[in-house]
Amino acid sequence: MSGSTTRGAPPRRLHLNVNILHSGFVPSAWRLPEADPWAFADIQHYIRTARIAEAGKLDAIFLADNAAIVDQIHFRPITALEPTILLACVAAATTHIGLIATASTSYNEPYNIARRFSTLDHVSNGRAGWNMVTTADLPSARNFGLEATPDHAKRYARASEFADIVKALWDSWEDGAFVGDKATGSFVDATRVHPIAHRGEHFAVQGPLNLPRAPQGHPVLVQAGASADGRELASRHAEAVFSASQSFEESLAYARALKTRAAELGRGPDAVKVLAGLTTIVGGTEAEALRRRDELVDLIPWDYSLTRIAGTLGITPDRLKLDERLPENLPLPGNGNGNHTFFNAVVAAGRTHGYTVRQLIRELAGGGGHRVIVGTPEQIADDIEHWFKGGAADGFNLMPDALPHGLEHFVDGVVPILQKRGLFRTDYEGRTLRDHLGLARPEGRTAQRLAA
């Protein structure tokens, strides 16, 4: 888990994605003078941000998603555009940057998701990734005819079966099944296209998929979840995991446990890349960066931040007092049926440093739950290098304070330092997301058949 390499092995390389959270991570980012309040629903905003990321040689852009309005729209933008459609547009405007979209296993069907992400992989020439999530909020449940959120364990059992089916559908066409021989009239070798005939606890899917195997074989599978069920799902299926650790020690323990479990499942110790969430607020000096952070936080109404943190903790806002610490003995939200990841991250940040709620909101730049680093490009590069070389992360899912300008500050200021230190690429060495992440293309049925 250190930064060293074995003799003859290529050097370990840092991975960087950018999470395009509409106007930026800080809820008030849309209020900055240079910001466009309509950016959350403007494809050109996403294309511009993706091009900045590509100019910085980042691995991928990442889009979160919600199946309902789950934030306070009286104050801030929300996740609005459907991510796979959005990324198909971004694919046409870029050449190398990876394209990772979130889609829920709770309110979709495996066939639709397999087809949608295989299509995105074809459209982008091998740059697609699927962030598979289960959905824990009640508004989303009600949008799909339910009056309660499905049980946590059942959601993850469904998700694991869902992932098995999607991968089987992606392999239902052998490599080379498409022939397209005009002389013989052979279009597809139908003997190399196979139904999957799945019958399980949650799904019955016949298959095959109705399009050839994707350029990457499988679009890259991504997952985020800190619960025991989430870690098991990641160990079995994920190739990259977005984590929300607040400390180096916490992230190191998480990465080691995840990679050990993946190895126990026969996937090898390096099958999963751990990408820690990191919010960056960059300034020419530390004082300038802190001033930018404080100005952004001061633009957020305190009742917004209180409501947001209370929702993460699964309590009512009246239980939080700005100048007191978090309440003691907080249970997991919804008796364990809510979102474990951000609950644990917020509680860890508050408890570790003994913050009052007001201090916690400021340190979290509005109460989002991810780790926030405020400083100069050199300070941020030092922090990234420490986590990377120490094995606490293989890279980072970046969430700049404001977009696109916060990403420009990172690309122009931090990336050159990381490149000078030999930690990050100076140019792309391949065209696919698997190339960027150093992931092998999964063997399909052709290789399996020939090996039999």
Side-chain angles (χ1 to χ4, degrees):
M1 294 294 298
S2 70
S4 63
T5 59
T6 58
R7 186 183 300 273
R12 182 167 169 258
R13 293 297 185 195
L14 177 71
H15 301 291
L16 296 173
N17 298 334
V18 59
N19 186 354
I20 305 182
L21 289 168
H22 27 79
S23 296
F25 176 83
V26 183
S28 59
W30 66 277
R31 300 183 65 187
L32 291 173
E34 67 271 19
D36 176 9
W38 185 247
F40 78 109
D42 182 2
I43 183 62
Q44 294 305 320
H45 169 72
Y46 292 88
I47 288 173
R48 180 182 176 188
T49 304
R51 284 174 168 167
I52 294 168
E54 190 167 75
K57 313 305 177 186
L58 270 61
D59 294 68
I61 62 173
F62 168 77
L63 296 182
D65 194 34
N66 295 108
I69 296 174
V70 296
D71 209 338
Q72 303 168 65
I73 58 171
H74 68 280
F75 173 68
R76 75 169 300 179
I78 57 172
T79 301
L81 299 175
E82 198 286 318
T84 57
I85 295 175
L86 192 160
L87 288 181
C89 298
V90 173
T94 56
T95 57
H96 286 77
I97 195 79
L99 309 165
I100 302 172
T102 297
S104 173
T105 60
S106 300
Y107 303 118
N108 283 292
E109 291 293 321
Y111 192 93
N112 289 342
I113 293 301
R115 186 183 184 208
R116 193 180 306 166
F117 281 88
S118 184
T119 297
L120 182 60
D121 208 51
H122 280 283
V123 166
S124 64
N125 294 314
R127 293 187 278 144
W130 169 36
N131 178 40
M132 52 179 174
V133 300
T134 71
T135 304
D137 64 277
L138 183 57
S140 293
R142 287 177 170 167
N143 282 342
F144 291 89
L146 302 177
E147 286 304 318
T149 302
D151 175 76
H152 188 275
K154 290 180 180 178
R155 290 203 313 271
Y156 277 92
R158 173 186 167 100
S160 188
E161 184 180 342
F162 196 114
D164 284 332
I165 297 166
V166 167
K167 290 190 287 187
L169 287 167
W170 285 338
D171 287 338
S172 61
W173 287 56
E174 295 184 25
D175 290 321
F178 174 73
V179 180
D181 189 329
K182 295 180 182 180
T184 65
S186 176
F187 191 71
V188 169
D189 182 351
T191 66
R192 302 176 75 178
V193 179
H194 310 276
I196 67 169
H198 176 89
R199 300 293 181 272
E201 180 181 356
H202 301 91
F203 303 103
V205 181
Q206 181 63 19
L209 205 59
N210 63 343
L211 72 164
R213 198 161 189 254
Q216 293 186 106
H218 297 176
V220 174
L221 277 174
V222 181
Q223 200 267 338
S227 69
D229 292 327
R231 291 195 301 270
E232 184 66 14
L233 181 69
S235 298
R236 289 184 179 278
H237 297 289
E239 297 167 290
V241 172
F242 297 155
S243 65
S245 301
Q246 283 290 332
S247 70
F248 175 91
E249 293 76 16
E250 179 189 356
S251 189
L252 179 61
Y254 175 86
R256 283 176 170 169
L258 188 69
K259 294 181 181 226
T260 297
R261 179 59 179 150
E264 289 172 353
L265 293 168
R267 299 187 60 207
D270 299 315
V272 185
K273 309 291 184 182
V274 174
L275 307 177
L278 181 64
T279 296
T280 56
I281 302 177
V282 186
T285 65
E286 185 177 2
E288 180 184 312
L290 287 167
R291 185 165 57 250
R292 177 177 172 88
R293 191 270 314 271
D294 290 344
E295 288 173 352
L296 281 164
V297 173
D298 288 342
L299 286 172
I300 308 169
W302 287 106
D303 61 349
Y304 169 89
S305 295
L306 283 170
T307 301
R308 187 181 188 193
I309 284 189
T312 300
L313 299 176
I315 60 177
T316 56
D318 61 339
R319 292 192 60 192
L320 297 175
K321 309 300 179 186
L322 279 172
D323 295 308
E324 297 179 9
R325 296 182 182 183
L326 293 176
E328 296 296 328
N329 303 316
L330 289 169
L332 284 167
N335 296 317
N337 205 32
N339 189 310
H340 293 203
T341 302
F342 290 110
F343 171 88
N344 290 330
V346 169
V347 170
R351 299 271 192 257
T352 301
H353 302 283
Y355 291 138
T356 65
V357 171
R358 189 189 302 275
Q359 291 170 328
L360 180 60
I361 288 170
R362 192 167 296 280
E363 290 299 316
L364 294 177
H370 279 290
R371 191 169 70 99
V372 180
I373 183 166
V374 184
T376 66
E378 193 83 20
Q379 288 173 319
I380 293 172
D382 288 346
D383 182 272
I384 287 173
E385 181 175 9
H386 170 58
W387 277 54
F388 175 66
K389 285 190 171 180
D394 297 299
F396 295 86
N397 199 32
L398 302 170
M399 287 160 286
D401 52 355
L403 290 170
H405 297 91
L407 179 61
E408 287 179 324
H409 297 158
F410 186 92
V411 165
D412 293 343
V414 181
V415 166
I417 297 172
L418 297 172
Q419 291 171 331
K420 186 177 180 180
R421 296 179 185 181
L423 300 174
F424 192 63
R425 68 175 68 86
T426 56
D427 202 356
Y428 291 108
E429 298 173 1
R431 296 295 295 268
T432 72
L433 180 54
R434 289 186 176 277
D435 290 335
H436 305 341
L437 292 171
L439 297 169
R441 187 177 188 271
E443 291 185 349
R445 284 179 177 249
T446 306
Q448 296 167 7
R449 177 170 51 81
L450 293 173

